[in-house]
Amino acid sequence: MQVTLFNGVSIDEQLKSFLPRFTDYHSPKMYQYALDMLFAGTHDKKRVITVVENGERKTFEPVSYANRNELLYYKVINENTGYVKINNSLGNDNLIGEFDKALDSLISNKNLILDLTETPSGGNSTVARAIMGRFVNKVLPYQIHEFDEKDYDTKRHWVEYVSPRKKIYKGNVYILVGHWTGSMGEGIAIGFDALDSATVIGTPMAGLLGAISNFRLTETKIGFQFPTERLYHINGIPREDFIPKILCKNIEETLEKAREVAF
């Protein structure tokens, strides 16, 4: 398969705007970066990719899950396995009800795959605890918090817990993660690992350094964020150092492992 056009324009011509200008020599890594940037597209336009395969011209229009209106997507893969994909909505409290509906419809499946590979924007712990609460039968710890009280040279240190809610899923659970699993998505992954109720599959996650706080510059009113609270797995390792139990090289290998689970 050869890619010939992106949004109706030749590839080579469009790569120029992404290649570095400080050198006349462009390495394969530079071209790969430029290709990645081009095919990522922009928020205001749909992507149209034209290819030639076995002499036949074909056109594809990839779907961006980040821009989908639905909070999640779910389906039955086969008689044994259900699948739920969270569409970057872990900060939306309405996800709780939608997740309950999805899980209730899949509750009889032996295996459940929960896909968190596209949750870069994080979320809140209420949604996270609501999701994890469907998989435990007693109150259990899922992550550790640590906050510096610099004015007093003290540390605030506490453990956060998950409580059971509604009908509990009792089958095998597999959590898919990747480089775009960020913040609360990472918290859910280490939480499931700590609860010992699921197997985490994927690449290292985004590695965000704890919980963030919001600030604003006094003169320009420009807002900014940075981490102010460290987060840890129940076993004591920093969240950003967590490695999935089944470690994969890329998203393709992650999805292949998920297919092995399903079939």
Side-chain angles (χ1 to χ4, degrees):
M1 180 185 288
Q2 179 185 6
V3 181
T4 56
L5 302 174
F6 181 80
N7 288 351
V9 182
S10 68
I11 304 298
D12 290 344
E13 185 64 28
Q14 297 183 81
L15 291 185
K16 293 178 181 178
S17 61
F18 297 108
L19 290 169
R21 299 176 184 176
F22 64 84
T23 176
D24 293 329
Y25 168 75
H26 296 129
S27 68
K29 285 187 176 181
M30 294 177 184
Y31 276 110
Q32 185 62 57
Y33 168 80
L35 282 167
D36 291 343
M37 292 296 291
L38 175 64
F39 286 118
T42 58
H43 292 289
D44 59 337
K45 295 179 182 177
K46 290 185 177 180
R47 292 173 293 173
V48 180
I49 299 174
T50 305
V51 306
V52 174
E53 184 178 24
N54 298 324
E56 182 182 354
R57 181 169 168 158
K58 300 179 181 179
T59 299
F60 299 93
E61 296 185 28
V63 173
S64 173
Y65 282 96
N67 294 327
R68 295 181 71 158
N69 293 325
E70 57 190 4
L71 301 178
L72 58 75
Y73 167 78
Y74 69 96
K75 66 179 179 179
V76 176
I77 297 178
N78 56 37
E79 66 274 11
N80 292 320
T81 307
Y83 171 86
V84 180
K85 183 183 181 72
I86 306 296
N87 290 331
N88 199 32
S89 53
L90 291 172
N92 189 327
D93 291 345
N94 293 326
L95 176 63
I96 297 173
E98 292 299 309
F99 183 81
D100 285 342
K101 291 178 187 177
L103 186 59
D104 288 343
S105 72
L106 303 171
I107 202 82
S108 61
N109 284 273
K110 178 182 177 182
N111 303 314
L112 181 75
I113 297 172
L114 177 58
D115 190 341
L116 300 175
T117 56
E118 293 194 51
T119 55
S121 297
N124 64 64
S125 61
T126 299
V127 173
R129 285 183 280 107
I131 290 174
M132 289 184 286
R134 296 294 308 271
F135 299 89
V136 297
N137 55 21
K138 61 181 179 180
V139 177
L140 291 170
Y142 86 92
Q143 72 175 353
I144 299 172
H145 298 249
E146 186 178 79
F147 180 80
D148 291 332
E149 298 173 314
K150 291 187 178 296
D151 290 344
Y152 310 102
D153 194 26
T154 59
K155 290 183 184 292
R156 185 182 176 196
H157 196 92
W158 73 99
V159 177
E160 191 166 6
Y161 289 81
V162 171
S163 300
R165 54 181 296 272
K166 295 184 176 277
K167 188 174 182 180
I168 305 304
Y169 179 81
K170 297 180 180 179
N172 303 313
V173 184
Y174 301 89
I175 311 296
L176 306 186
V177 300
H179 297 297
W180 296 107
T181 305
S183 193
M184 202 63 251
E186 297 180 83
I188 292 176
I190 68 165
F192 268 108
D193 189 75
L195 298 171
D196 201 25
S197 59
T199 300
V200 182
I201 303 172
T203 70
M205 299 184 290
L208 301 184
L209 301 177
I212 60 173
S213 296
N214 299 299
F215 304 91
R216 177 175 290 186
L217 297 175
T218 55
E219 298 299 324
T220 62
K221 309 304 181 185
I222 295 173
F224 63 97
Q225 303 170 327
F226 58 80
T228 55
E229 181 182 308
R230 288 178 290 277
L231 295 171
Y232 299 89
H233 190 289
I234 289 300
N235 64 16
I237 68 168
R239 186 182 70 181
E240 62 270 20
D241 292 340
F242 175 77
I243 298 297
K245 186 172 292 184
I246 299 179
L247 182 62
C248 301
K249 295 178 182 178
N250 49 46
I251 186 62
E252 290 79 13
E253 186 177 336
T254 301
L255 295 176
E256 182 58 37
K257 293 292 183 182
R259 281 190 285 269
E260 291 177 9
V261 166
F263 296 102

